[in-house]
Amino acid sequence: MEVSPLRQVRKEKGAKETKLVLKLKFGVTWKAIKKASSSTMKLNRFHLTCASSMKELSLVRVQAEEAVKPIQQAHTKKKASHVVTKSLLSLLQLPYTASDFIDWGDLMTPTKSPKENISTKWREIHGLHNWDSLLDPLHPWLRREIIKYGEFAQATYDGFDFDPLSEFCGSCRYNRHKLYEELGLTNHGYKVTKYIYAMSHVDVPSWFERSHLGETWSKDSNWMGYVAVSNDEESERSGRRDIVMAWRGTIAPTEWFTDLKAMLEHIGDGKIKVQHGFRSIYKSKSEFTRYNKSSASEQVMEEVNRLIKFYKAKDEEISFTITGHSLGGALALLNAYEAATSIPGLPISVISFGAPRVGNLAFKEKLDEMGVKTLRIVVKQDIVPKFPGFIFNNILHKLNFVTKKFNWVYRHVGSQLKLDMFMSPYLKRESDLIGSHNLEIYLHLLDGFLSERRKFRWNARRDVALVNKTTDMLIEELRIPKFWYQLPYKGLVLNKHGRWVKPSREPEDIPSPLPVASENEMH
């Protein structure tokens, strides 16, 4: 399709740069381009006022993005290339419009960046040097890896049955063989090997989902996440066999964090203490339950040890990456502490999103001593990372020179990447405490983050519509429905008798403490 000329361009001088622009051939006529200024060597932003339709406008963007690539490659060693590339990128800073959410098939750009081979750099990407010089500006390889683990954590929400009128409330809607396929995550190259369950009757606020029906799959447990492992192709790309534990958290901060008891309890020897409620979830078990005869802690470590034994027998390098959002980020740290204590020498990293504080200074120092690498992603407007001890810790922070060695004060662990909701031009400007805690908001901001001093990345790939899956945070101009992620007809189906009913689950999707993956499955 021939794109309409771009008119109303400001008068500029400088023939050399404009001749380079001509080489792009991305569908606009020369008559629409005036000479650029020789003094500034910079193109002003074009005003796209005469595109014949919104579809044409998006086609310009698609064609121009592809055309920029060879120019960037051909001029990487020339001083002029920076000026030209910067000018072209400025030209392409077109805002998202409602037309971007119309399906045009092959004419649309992909939502994923190309996978780079990180086999020689994976240790640095996983915090070998505590992410020095990788966070600001954010290295594109690191961005992609963080988002990957964030999507693994998001899967614990997308696959979870939140319906209190379902007999399976609190479980995963899919069996482990189908989870990634159903949620569109097979492209990451991992297989789920085991589901993890935690006791729901523990001394914590309302963190668990329970069915309102009498007959349920379990009155004692909730699905809390899963263990996965990279396949051969992904392991070759990433330089090792990566074992992942993804912990489920809590979607909204609501009142439960303010009700959280800031009670620390000892673990192990010495002065190490962690929050009582987090540890209760991680360690609770009962012989009278079906899914928690062993604790979440025991389930995870049994599977991790099994996978390590299997892949060590094949003389492979292995890493353990633990991820989680909110409460899941807290459980990830407890998991990392236990794994580092029981499996010395295993490379362990934690990638957490909106996670609260977990333990005291001794807990932080012990994790550092054992070589656990922790990267905490936080959003400035999110209140959850400030708990437990929101008010108390803020007061003590002002007296840091006195209190920095107190072991009864909560401490964050590891390195921090801080994001700001106001950085994104696609999010509403109100400081919504609930919305700012949403994991999809985190992933959206990550995808657009370049550095603290730069604007939102114009060529961010992640689908903006995902923000409104379970929020109403996108600006109205995009016309994306709020809270759009739900089952068709809210889970009802029309049966053969013409009645709307709740369907029964497929037999293979009914929760069952089945054996873990066999060796044949892991090949």
Side-chain angles (χ1 to χ4, degrees):
M1 176 185 294
E2 183 179 353
V3 181
S4 299
L6 307 180
R7 301 172 184 171
Q8 298 185 5
V9 181
R10 297 176 183 174
K11 292 182 178 180
E12 300 161 302
K13 298 180 180 180
K16 288 185 178 180
E17 188 170 350
T18 51
K19 287 179 180 178
L20 283 173
V21 175
L22 272 178
K23 296 178 182 179
L24 289 174
K25 299 179 182 178
F26 60 87
V28 295
T29 63
W30 168 241
K31 291 181 180 179
I33 304 176
K34 303 297 182 181
K35 292 182 179 181
S37 170
S38 57
S39 59
T40 61
M41 288 293 288
K42 192 174 184 180
L43 289 174
N44 286 336
R45 186 174 178 177
F46 290 110
H47 301 284
L48 306 179
T49 56
C50 293
S52 61
S53 68
M54 295 305 295
K55 184 171 181 179
E56 289 181 1
L57 183 148
S58 291
L59 282 171
V60 170
R61 184 195 293 120
V62 173
Q63 294 169 336
E65 284 178 354
E66 294 302 316
V68 166
K69 295 176 184 177
I71 293 294
Q72 291 174 318
Q73 295 169 359
H75 296 82
T76 51
K77 295 184 179 180
K78 296 183 180 180
K79 292 182 179 179
S81 66
H82 173 71
V83 178
V84 174
T85 302
K86 186 176 180 181
S87 300
L88 296 174
L89 296 185
S90 176
L91 160 67
L92 297 175
Q93 286 184 23
L94 309 182
Y96 266 106
T97 66
S99 68
D100 286 305
F101 304 98
I102 298 172
D103 187 2
W104 294 334
D106 293 340
L107 295 176
M108 303 187 80
T109 56
T111 59
K112 304 287 184 184
S113 301
K115 285 187 178 182
E116 304 87 357
N117 187 310
I118 63 170
S119 57
T120 62
K121 296 292 184 181
W122 74 266
R123 289 184 179 275
E124 288 86 345
I125 290 173
H126 277 253
L128 177 64
H129 304 300
N130 298 313
W131 293 280
D132 287 345
S133 75
L134 295 179
L135 297 177
D136 194 6
L138 182 59
H139 195 288
W141 292 8
L142 177 58
R143 177 192 292 110
R144 195 186 195 292
E145 293 300 296
I146 296 174
I147 290 177
K148 176 182 74 176
Y149 293 114
E151 289 181 343
F152 289 159
Q154 181 64 41
T156 65
Y157 295 132
D158 293 345
F160 191 71
D161 191 339
F162 288 96
D163 184 2
L165 300 180
S166 166
E167 61 183 299
F168 300 110
C169 181
S171 71
C172 182
R173 292 188 284 119
Y174 314 107
N175 70 68
R176 62 181 175 84
H177 303 288
K178 292 169 57 179
L179 181 67
Y180 279 175
E181 181 181 354
E182 291 286 345
L183 302 181
L185 297 176
T186 55
N187 61 299
H188 287 315
Y190 285 71
K191 275 189 175 181
V192 177
T193 64
K194 187 174 183 177
Y195 277 175
I196 306 301
Y197 297 89
M199 292 282 290
S200 54
H201 292 287
V202 292
D203 183 22
V204 294
S206 302
W207 291 347
F208 295 98
E209 302 295 329
R210 296 185 177 93
S211 174
H212 293 176
L213 305 179
E215 296 293 327
T216 68
W217 70 285
S218 174
K219 295 182 179 180
D220 309 291
S221 303
N222 261 209
W223 179 62
M224 285 304 295
Y226 59 87
V227 179
V229 65
S230 57
N231 62 23
D232 291 346
E233 182 181 356
E234 174 63 13
S235 298
E236 183 178 355
R237 183 196 74 86
S238 63
R240 84 286 188 202
R241 187 71 64 170
D242 187 30
I243 301 170
V244 171
M245 175 62 214
W247 289 97
R248 184 176 64 82
T250 45
I251 288 183
T254 59
E255 302 84 23
W256 69 263
F257 264 121
T258 58
D259 292 339
L260 182 61
K261 297 176 183 177
M263 179 171 36
L264 288 162
E265 66 176 54
H266 281 281
I267 58 171
D269 301 324
K271 300 178 180 179
I272 300 173
K273 295 181 179 181
V274 295
Q275 203 278 330
H276 167 74
F278 299 149
R279 189 169 185 272
S280 295
I281 296 170
Y282 188 63
K283 286 290 188 180
S284 293
K285 62 180 179 179
S286 172
E287 284 294 327
F288 302 103
T289 65
R290 187 181 183 194
Y291 296 90
N292 279 112
K293 295 184 187 300
S294 59
S295 65
S297 158
E298 292 168 339
Q299 294 168 50
V300 175
M301 294 311 301
E302 178 186 22
E303 179 65 359
V304 170
N305 280 304
R306 186 185 71 83
L307 292 170
I308 290 174
K309 181 180 179 181
F310 177 78
Y311 289 112
K312 271 194 173 180
K314 300 172 69 175
D315 199 29
E316 294 191 28
E317 191 168 11
I318 303 166
S319 68
F320 185 29
T321 308
I322 314 170
T323 187
H325 166 252
S326 191
L327 168 64
L331 298 175
L333 279 179
L334 294 176
N335 193 176
Y337 175 85
E338 182 176 18
T341 303
S342 60
I343 316 174
L346 176 66
I348 300 172
S349 55
V350 175
I351 310 293
S352 70
F353 304 84
R357 302 181 182 105
V358 176
N360 63 355
L361 178 62
F363 178 67
K364 172 187 182 299
E365 291 176 339
K366 186 63 176 177
L367 284 171
D368 291 341
E369 177 189 320
M370 293 188 294
V372 173
K373 302 299 181 180
T374 301
L375 179 58
R376 296 182 298 106
I377 295 88
V378 301
V379 169
K380 179 181 178 181
Q381 290 78 12
D382 186 3
I383 196 172
V384 171
K386 299 176 176 65
F387 283 96
F390 176 41
I391 298 175
F392 190 57
N393 271 61
N394 281 350
I395 295 172
L396 292 178
H397 181 70
K398 297 177 182 178
L399 304 172
N400 188 55
F401 65 96
V402 175
T403 63
K404 62 183 179 181
K405 289 295 181 181
F406 287 179
N407 264 310
W408 41 268
V409 178
Y410 280 95
R411 300 286 183 177
H412 269 308
V413 175
S415 303
Q416 176 180 280
L417 174 58
K418 195 170 188 177
L419 308 171
D420 189 336
M421 283 187 66
F422 296 159
M423 173 185 72
S424 170
Y426 310 119
L427 299 180
K428 293 177 179 177
R429 280 298 186 248
E430 59 260 28
S431 184
D432 184 338
L433 293 180
I434 295 178
S436 64
H437 187 57
N438 189 280
L439 181 52
E440 286 289 1
I441 295 280
Y442 271 77
L443 299 182
H444 167 68
L445 294 174
L446 264 170
D447 196 36
F449 181 80
L450 289 170
S451 72
E452 286 189 6
R453 297 179 182 177
R454 296 175 67 182
K455 294 182 179 180
F456 196 83
R457 190 166 69 109
W458 70 268
N459 59 343
R461 294 281 187 170
R462 188 171 172 80
D463 195 341
V464 178
L466 293 172
V467 169
N468 267 14
K469 282 168 71 173
T470 55
T471 72
D472 182 22
M473 295 302 295
L474 287 176
I475 57 176
E476 299 296 334
E477 290 83 350
L478 294 178
R479 291 186 281 176
I480 300 300
K482 59 184 179 182
F483 302 98
W484 59 261
Y485 190 77
Q486 54 185 287
L487 294 175
Y489 308 111
K490 296 193 174 180
L492 295 182
V493 297
L494 190 64
N495 70 10
K496 63 181 181 180
H497 302 294
R499 297 184 182 278
W500 288 96
V501 297
K502 275 192 172 292
S504 58
R505 277 196 187 178
E506 295 293 331
E508 64 267 22
D509 292 331
I510 295 176
S512 177
L514 294 172
V516 296
S518 66
E519 292 187 2
N520 289 333
E521 285 183 68
M522 294 189 291
H523 285 297

